[in-house]
Amino acid sequence: MRAEMTWFPVSLVFMQYVIGIPFLVKAIHANYYGGYDVDNWCFHMIWVTIMRLTLSQLWQIYSRLHGIVKKHQISTVGFTFEQIDREFHSDDYIILQALVATAAHVWVPGFRQLPLWDSRGLVTIILLHVGPTEFVYYWLHRALHTDFLFTNYHSFHHASINTEPPTSGVGTFLEHVLFSGVMGIALAGPVIFGGASISMIYLYCLFFDFMKHMAHSNTEIIPITLFKAFPLLKYLLITPSYHSLHHSELHSNYCLFMPLYDHLGGTVNVKSEALHARLREGRAEEVPEFVFLAHCVDLLSSMHVSFVLRQFASRPYSARWFLYPFLVLITPVMFMMWAWGKVFVAYKYTLDKFSCQTWVVPRYGFQYFIPVGLNSINGLIESAILEADKKGVKVISLAALNKNEALNGGGVLFTDKHTNLRVRVVHGNTLTAACILKGIPEDVTEVFITGATSKLGRAIALHLCRRRVRVLMLTSSQERFEAILKEAPKELKRYLVRVTKYQAGINCKTWIMGKWISHKDQQMAPRGTHFHQFVVPGIPEIRKDCTYGKLAAMRLPTQVKGISTCEFSCERGVVHACHAGGLIHCLEGWTHHEVGSIDVDRIDEVWEAAMRHGFSAVY
């Protein structure tokens, strides 16, 4: 039942925070309109909640920054969409604890009229945490691993074998209530013995969350030298690798933050120290067989990466209302990346025995049309290709504008400059063309195409004319049209027709869009027209009496593992055809570069290879 709750509409993602509205109203009234709130409680509850959510977000960013954590990562198995969905409510406990604390503030004697700071309370909290809190948690946790409680409650948390920071907040309602009570033991001490303050709530909540997130972070950050310098510290400080064994092997390492209680209870996993030492020595760098070299699309899409908003990134991208306030942060980051950014790893996955990664050029779509910055972009692409070549990557596939004809000739610039590359450079457009062509019904006898003399437009036109389909090629360049016409067999040249106005397609019901089209020009298409497209971004769907195809994309084979991010606006498990084209190149072991013009003779061959490897087109 809990897993099913994850499929709330995206528009309702933040609805649980409606609970905070009364707190916000009360805080504003008390601080700006002369109202009264004991201890300014609602103001502090809002801020401690914001700080806890921010801390969680920072840990999430850190744990998925491949360049930082790759050396000490505990599990290299990628995360899944199923885990992201299951952990959708990982912040619910923060809301629950704010409500419980507010109830205590109203009804518990001594928990009102609190000073901002009292050092006595801090000492009391430390003593109570080390003693009763850790002790009670340890035995409660062991109880949750008994058959009945584990099967009906705690197994939901342990469904995530490979953990990350949000996993720490995943549990059933019963567990949240119990663990909130455990947390409350230390907070109750200063109330009973004196020294309670507002600051202790901030400090203890943030300490508790920091340690939970660290333990589930999937990267070993505690240096081995720390335990060598202070041997007793191993009884007082949990490490991420220590807790990872609890998730992978279950019946050991039950402690909260202090392994002392596992030692006393005889439940320490014997592998704990060896695993910690091995991970701190560092892993050998994982070399992928395949790299897809993408770029940022627009400012808002910066949030559509797993190390920023993993829930949002696990769904097809669209501009959402809650993203716009982040422009204040995104804009300066964009300028910093423009000045100092380097290619980085966004995510990784495996397909059969092949390790695959998506790297990102730190440039946005609009920057590819600023002349003064083009050399810099080519420099970044070139550095990525050379880095891939140095590491032993087999294939690097260029995405979208990274293979722009005007930028680098579809990759020719790099293969001509570096003639001894071992890595194969691929633009993947052969499969893109195949996807579009296979989406055109066999009984179609005429098509209208814009972007007709582009790399894709040329290949589509030539392939269609071989099928004896009349191609109305919209282009203002007679020279470019004639160059394509020369490539067509003599007996088929009559199927290629140059047109210069949209009115030429007024009787054609199959339009192939390779360039942006205005609302007015769309009206030229007859009723019932189907718009195929390879223009980025896609054209607006304004005609209710017409149908619109998606950008050429392919569903990955079922063997793909560890993918938890949607590729821009693609559905889960779907990638753009040029991405799939690079994968096919790698899977087939082809040794040629696929750059420059599309080889029309290879379109059917590439399509058949895709079908053979279990890919399927998405229309």
Side-chain angles (χ1 to χ4, degrees):
M1 181 181 69
R2 182 73 173 184
E4 292 172 358
M5 292 173 65
T6 62
W7 283 104
F8 275 118
V10 175
S11 59
L12 299 181
V13 165
F14 299 111
M15 286 304 291
Q16 67 264 42
Y17 291 103
V18 170
I19 295 172
I21 292 177
F23 287 82
L24 181 61
V25 172
K26 182 71 172 178
I28 293 173
H29 183 252
N31 287 276
Y32 296 101
Y33 294 98
Y36 179 68
D37 182 19
V38 179
D39 299 326
N40 205 5
W41 183 259
C42 290
F43 172 84
H44 289 299
M45 283 298 97
I46 290 171
W47 272 108
V48 77
T49 299
I50 291 173
M51 292 173 72
R52 296 179 78 179
L53 292 171
T54 302
L55 179 63
S56 176
Q57 180 61 37
L58 291 174
W59 267 111
Q60 174 62 33
I61 292 172
Y62 171 80
S63 69
R64 287 212 180 190
L65 287 175
H66 179 81
I68 295 176
V69 305
K70 61 183 179 181
K71 189 175 180 181
H72 304 295
Q73 199 168 30
I74 296 169
S75 172
T76 58
V77 178
F79 302 100
T80 64
F81 288 117
E82 290 75 19
Q83 179 170 344
I84 302 299
D85 290 342
R86 188 171 57 250
E87 297 178 353
F88 182 87
H89 297 281
S90 61
D91 54 357
D92 281 4
Y93 74 96
I94 297 177
I95 302 170
L96 173 65
Q97 290 174 3
L99 295 175
V100 171
T102 300
H105 183 257
V106 172
W107 292 315
V108 175
F111 201 45
R112 293 168 69 85
Q113 305 295 340
L114 302 176
L116 190 61
W117 173 262
D118 191 325
S119 57
R120 294 177 303 159
L122 185 61
V123 174
T124 304
I125 281 181
I126 292 173
L127 293 175
L128 288 175
H129 178 88
V130 170
T133 297
E134 290 279 351
F135 177 81
V136 171
Y137 179 89
Y138 173 78
W139 287 106
L140 175 61
H141 196 176
R142 287 192 66 169
L144 286 169
H145 277 260
T146 57
D147 289 343
F148 177 80
L149 291 177
F150 186 84
T151 301
N152 292 282
Y153 296 97
H154 198 46
S155 60
F156 183 69
H157 176 75
H158 274 276
S160 300
I161 297 174
N162 302 310
T163 66
E164 53 182 343
T167 309
S168 66
V170 174
T172 58
F173 180 72
L174 174 64
E175 291 173 287
H176 287 322
V177 171
L178 292 174
F179 293 152
S180 295
V182 170
M183 190 175 177
I185 294 172
L187 289 172
V191 176
I192 298 170
F193 302 111
S197 67
I198 294 295
S199 297
M200 76 174 189
I201 299 171
Y202 280 89
L203 292 173
Y204 191 63
C205 287
L206 292 173
F207 158 77
F208 209 92
D209 286 358
F210 182 93
M211 295 298 293
K212 284 172 57 181
H213 295 324
M214 181 193 74
H216 291 84
S217 65
N218 194 41
T219 181
E220 186 50 82
I221 67 171
I222 306 297
I224 195 74
T225 53
L226 188 63
F227 292 142
K228 289 182 178 179
F230 306 99
L232 293 179
L233 199 58
K234 73 176 184 178
Y235 299 105
L236 304 177
L237 179 63
I238 195 173
T239 66
S241 58
Y242 184 94
H243 190 68
S244 73
L245 288 169
H246 176 69
H247 274 262
S248 61
E249 301 188 13
L250 290 182
H251 301 298
S252 61
N253 295 7
Y254 293 102
C255 76
L256 180 55
F257 307 138
M258 294 174 58
L260 170 66
Y261 290 89
D262 277 312
H263 285 275
L264 294 175
T267 53
V268 175
N269 191 304
V270 295
K271 302 176 184 176
S272 299
E273 290 191 18
L275 178 61
H276 180 241
R278 178 167 58 83
L279 288 170
R280 284 308 301 173
E281 287 177 3
R283 291 180 176 275
E285 184 172 1
E286 181 182 4
V287 177
E289 280 83 11
F290 170 76
V291 166
F292 183 58
L293 187 62
H295 62 79
C296 306
V297 180
D298 56 43
L299 291 179
L300 290 181
S301 68
S302 300
M303 309 299 289
H304 194 256
V305 285
S306 61
F307 57 80
V308 179
L309 296 177
R310 68 172 196 153
Q311 290 287 353
F312 180 56
S314 71
R315 293 172 171 81
Y317 171 77
S318 62
R320 299 289 179 174
W321 62 268
F322 59 82
L323 296 177
Y324 287 94
F326 288 106
L327 285 173
V328 176
L329 298 174
I330 298 170
T331 303
V333 170
M334 181 268 291
F335 282 110
M336 286 190 287
M337 290 199 301
W338 202 346
W340 303 294
K342 295 183 179 180
V343 174
F344 61 90
V345 178
Y347 62 91
K348 57 184 181 178
Y349 62 94
T350 58
L351 178 57
D352 288 335
K353 61 182 180 180
F354 292 97
S355 172
C356 310
Q357 294 181 357
T358 291
W359 297 0
V360 177
V361 174
R363 293 293 185 272
Y364 292 85
F366 74 90
Q367 293 172 309
Y368 285 74
F369 300 96
I370 302 175
V372 295
L374 298 185
N375 287 337
S376 171
I377 293 173
N378 272 331
L380 288 167
I381 298 171
E382 182 178 15
S383 69
I385 292 172
L386 295 178
E387 180 68 15
D389 189 63
K390 179 181 177 182
K391 288 182 175 181
V393 175
K394 294 179 179 178
V395 173
I396 184 167
S397 182
L398 307 181
L401 295 173
N402 285 336
K403 59 194 174 200
N404 188 296
E405 195 70 26
L407 180 67
N408 51 48
V412 171
L413 174 69
F414 310 116
T415 54
D416 284 353
K417 183 177 180 180
H418 303 283
T419 55
N420 295 319
L421 286 173
R422 292 174 301 166
V423 64
R424 302 294 92 179
V425 182
V426 174
H427 55 49
N429 281 344
T430 307
L431 186 57
T432 302
C435 282
I436 296 168
L437 288 162
K438 295 299 179 180
I440 299 172
E442 290 293 331
D443 59 354
V444 167
T445 58
E446 183 178 71
V447 301
F448 176 79
I449 182 170
T450 67
T453 59
S454 66
K455 181 164 49 185
L456 273 166
R458 164 195 161 273
I460 292 168
L462 288 172
H463 196 278
L464 285 173
C465 86
R466 294 181 181 184
R467 285 169 48 179
R468 287 173 168 74
V469 175
R470 188 168 182 258
V471 184
L472 305 178
M473 301 174 64
L474 181 67
T475 176
S476 60
S477 174
Q478 179 68 28
E479 181 182 355
R480 289 171 68 98
F481 170 75
E482 289 181 354
I484 294 173
L485 191 63
K486 288 179 182 178
E487 295 186 69
K490 184 177 181 180
E491 68 279 10
L492 301 176
K493 291 182 185 293
R494 60 192 175 89
Y495 289 100
L496 299 180
V497 181
R498 177 180 173 244
V499 298
T500 57
K501 295 182 179 181
Y502 282 95
Q503 287 88 333
I506 199 168
N507 295 314
C508 178
K509 290 190 175 184
T510 301
W511 284 36
I512 305 173
M513 299 292 95
K515 293 183 70 174
W516 180 257
I517 182 173
S518 68
H519 292 196
K520 178 183 176 182
D521 289 332
Q522 276 200 46
Q523 301 302 326
M524 298 294 175
R527 183 185 182 89
T529 293
H530 181 78
F531 291 94
H532 302 267
Q533 52 186 316
F534 59 91
V535 59
V536 179
I539 64 175
E541 299 182 10
I542 62 169
R543 292 283 300 274
K544 302 300 182 184
D545 57 346
C546 297
T547 54
Y548 294 80
K550 299 179 180 180
L551 292 175
M554 302 209 75
R555 189 170 300 281
L556 293 168
T558 56
Q559 304 96 301
V560 69
K561 303 294 182 184
I563 189 166
S564 61
T565 300
C566 288
E567 188 167 286
F568 198 53
S569 59
C570 292
E571 301 171 10
R572 290 180 169 187
V574 174
V575 297
H576 292 101
C578 58
H579 186 157
L583 285 169
I584 298 301
H585 207 96
C586 186
L587 291 167
E588 285 290 305
W590 288 330
T591 57
H592 65 280
H593 295 296
E594 184 190 327
V595 295
S597 299
I598 296 171
D599 185 347
V600 181
D601 294 329
R602 291 186 62 85
I603 290 176
D604 291 330
E605 178 187 358
V606 171
W607 176 261
E608 290 167 5
M611 297 301 101
R612 191 165 57 248
H613 286 286
F615 290 79
S616 58
V618 177
Y619 295 114

